[in-house]
Amino acid sequence: MKVLVIGLGGVTNGGKTTLAEKLKNMLPNCDIISQDDFFKPESEVETDERGFKLYDVLDALYMDEMVTSIRNWIKSRASSGVVTEEPQNTCDNVKNVYILIVEGFLLYNYEPLNELWNRRYFLTLPYEECKRRRSTRVYQPADTPGYFDGHVWPMYLKYKNELEENASMQVDYLDGTKSQEELLSYVYSDIIQELNKLRE
């Protein structure tokens, strides 16, 4: 069996999870691994001198465990010959491919993950829109006053700049202000093209 590993990264509240779930419903043999499932417990996350919990850095996550989970998924699918799910509206030619969508805010800045991707997408948002969306969400622990400006946004810019400076990294940047339908349509078509390439 062939596998296709898709990265869906980018800004907080950029629509990654929603897009991943919608793609899963449209693609055959598709699973999702979410980076949010690999956060360390609050007691293990560092606090800076301002009292901010430093969640938006790689050290706040069990990245090795995440890599292991993805590798285990690839191994188990590549060696399996059984396809269970019938595709809903895709052509028959993708039935013999397993697709994994990995979604998270820090996917492409961790070297061991970078050899695993077939496609990388990165959702972006302008500052005002990101801050507005973030303010409507409830987090555990809750964002403290000044947290977005003092930690979340600067870390997003830092990691995004690292990504843009890495010339060897092929990333498809997506405008998170576009409608969900538009984003879904674009990424879905792109993945179908990738699936067709795998079959050639």
Side-chain angles (χ1 to χ4, degrees):
M1 297 301 280
K2 291 172 178 169
V3 297
L4 191 66
V5 182
I6 308 287
L8 202 51
V11 69
T12 177
N13 296 279
K16 300 179 294 294
T17 308
T18 307
L19 185 53
E21 292 291 349
K22 288 186 170 183
L23 285 165
K24 182 181 191 297
N25 291 334
M26 291 173 72
L27 293 163
N29 311 310
C30 183
D31 292 312
I32 297 173
I33 288 180
S34 175
Q35 190 170 36
D36 285 358
D37 295 337
F38 297 91
F39 270 114
K40 293 176 179 175
E42 194 180 349
S43 59
E44 287 181 41
V45 175
E46 282 185 45
T47 305
D48 73 3
E49 66 283 353
R50 297 161 300 181
F52 291 152
K53 279 278 180 191
L54 304 181
Y55 273 105
D56 287 52
V57 297
L58 286 167
D59 284 346
L61 296 144
Y62 293 119
M63 291 303 292
D64 291 348
E65 282 184 24
M66 185 173 170
V67 173
T68 302
S69 293
I70 295 169
R71 286 190 187 284
N72 287 343
W73 182 94
I74 292 169
K75 232 179 275 172
S76 69
R77 297 310 181 280
S79 59
S80 133
V82 185
V83 175
T84 49
E85 282 181 52
E86 280 301 305
Q88 286 173 312
N89 49 15
T90 40
C91 27
D92 285 348
N93 67 357
V94 296
K95 276 191 194 170
N96 62 345
V97 181
Y98 282 100
I99 302 164
L100 179 64
I101 297 172
V102 182
E103 64 95 5
F105 69 111
L106 268 184
L107 297 183
Y108 312 129
N109 303 77
Y110 187 68
E111 208 41 57
L113 276 179
N114 279 328
E115 61 204 51
L116 303 176
W117 309 117
N118 293 93
R119 294 289 287 137
R120 295 181 189 90
Y121 302 97
F122 189 96
L123 281 148
T124 63
L125 281 178
Y127 166 83
E128 291 296 345
E129 176 61 12
C130 185
K131 190 171 185 174
R132 184 192 69 74
R133 290 187 192 182
R134 177 95 181 190
S135 69
T136 65
R137 294 271 290 274
V138 179
Y139 288 92
Q140 281 305 329
D143 282 359
T144 51
Y147 188 68
F148 181 83
D149 288 319
H151 176 61
V152 176
W153 189 254
M155 286 301 105
Y156 162 67
L157 292 180
K158 172 185 181 286
Y159 286 114
K160 182 170 176 271
N161 288 339
E162 276 180 21
L163 203 53
E164 288 167 342
E165 284 164 15
N166 185 344
S168 65
M169 182 99 64
Q170 278 196 301
V171 180
D172 202 340
Y173 291 92
L174 307 173
D175 177 356
T177 62
K178 288 191 170 163
S179 73
Q180 289 180 355
E181 291 70 31
E182 210 174 333
L183 288 167
L184 180 64
S185 167
Y186 173 79
V187 176
Y188 176 75
S189 306
D190 204 46
I191 292 172
I192 293 298
Q193 279 186 341
E194 202 65 26
L195 288 169
N196 290 335
K197 270 190 234 163
L198 266 185
R199 283 192 40 80
E200 282 166 14

